[in-house]
Amino acid sequence: MNIVVVIILVLVAAMVIGPVAMLRPSPGQKRRDNLRARARQNGLSVNLRLPPRASTDLEAPSHTPVYSLISKGHCNWFLLRTRYAHQAHLNDWWQFVANKPSTAVETFLVQNLDRLPKGVIGVGSQGSELVVFWREIGELEAVDTIGEFLQQLAECQFSSTSSLTSP
């Protein structure tokens, strides 16, 4: 067999096998898929959105995964994790960039923000859904924590809005 034929066969094999190998998901993609599958099992939806921009941000934020839960309340508020601690912020690190929630919801947030997993950059209520902007740092337990947090927040928000509308 001629060396040129061998080289051509190796190149053809590489051109066939290379693209097929590139179609396989990377370990990071598999991990994200597992996180998002767990979120769907917990009743959450996941998509990519732009987080609200804080007035102190110099750069526009990039699209971030959003874990959301449909809620009965129809409030609009958003809390963004800042890059610096300040006494005026909620729990030193969290700044309201839109309307503030009810006092009951704000109290819930003060008590529970610290249990959110690493990588959470925002929490809010947009129309009929509660959202958590999360960079997906962590394992499946972090998704469970976000799901529990959103369920409890939904209960708190619904009870505070229903108490405002009841006679």
Side-chain angles (χ1 to χ4, degrees):
M1 211 187 227
N2 191 349
I3 189 78
V4 174
V5 174
V6 172
I7 292 173
I8 290 174
L9 288 175
V10 169
L11 288 174
V12 168
M15 293 177 83
V16 170
I17 295 171
V20 171
M22 290 177 62
L23 291 175
R24 289 188 11 213
S26 69
Q29 290 170 329
K30 288 179 186 177
R31 189 184 68 74
R32 281 191 302 274
D33 287 345
N34 289 338
L35 292 174
R36 293 172 185 179
R38 174 67 71 95
R40 285 189 297 277
Q41 290 173 353
N42 291 346
L44 305 176
S45 63
V46 181
N47 54 34
L48 294 176
R49 295 187 201 166
L50 282 172
R53 189 173 180 175
S55 59
T56 56
D57 286 348
L58 299 177
E59 299 175 7
S62 60
H63 283 84
T64 305
V66 176
Y67 287 66
S68 60
L69 176 71
I70 300 298
S71 172
K72 294 178 184 174
H74 295 283
C75 303
N76 284 315
W77 55 269
F78 196 81
L79 195 57
L80 190 65
R81 184 168 174 80
T82 61
R83 296 174 192 222
Y84 57 92
H86 194 278
Q87 290 177 331
H89 295 160
L90 194 68
N91 287 13
D92 292 330
W93 294 95
W94 296 87
Q95 176 185 11
F96 284 105
V97 293
N99 300 329
K100 284 189 170 188
S102 66
T103 306
V105 171
E106 192 170 344
T107 301
F108 171 83
L109 291 170
V110 167
Q111 295 170 351
N112 292 285
L113 281 173
D114 292 337
R115 70 182 178 106
L116 286 172
K118 182 178 180 181
V120 170
I121 62 166
V123 176
S125 177
Q126 300 173 334
S128 64
E129 68 179 351
L130 297 170
V131 297
V132 170
F133 284 79
W134 182 43
R135 291 200 170 104
E136 297 178 323
I137 299 169
E139 299 302 323
L140 294 175
E141 295 78 24
V143 176
D144 296 337
T145 301
I146 289 173
E148 292 169 8
F149 176 84
L150 288 173
Q151 290 286 349
Q152 293 170 355
L153 180 58
E155 292 169 12
C156 180
Q157 184 165 293
F158 177 69
S159 65
S160 69
T161 56
S162 64
S163 67
L164 294 175
T165 58
S166 62

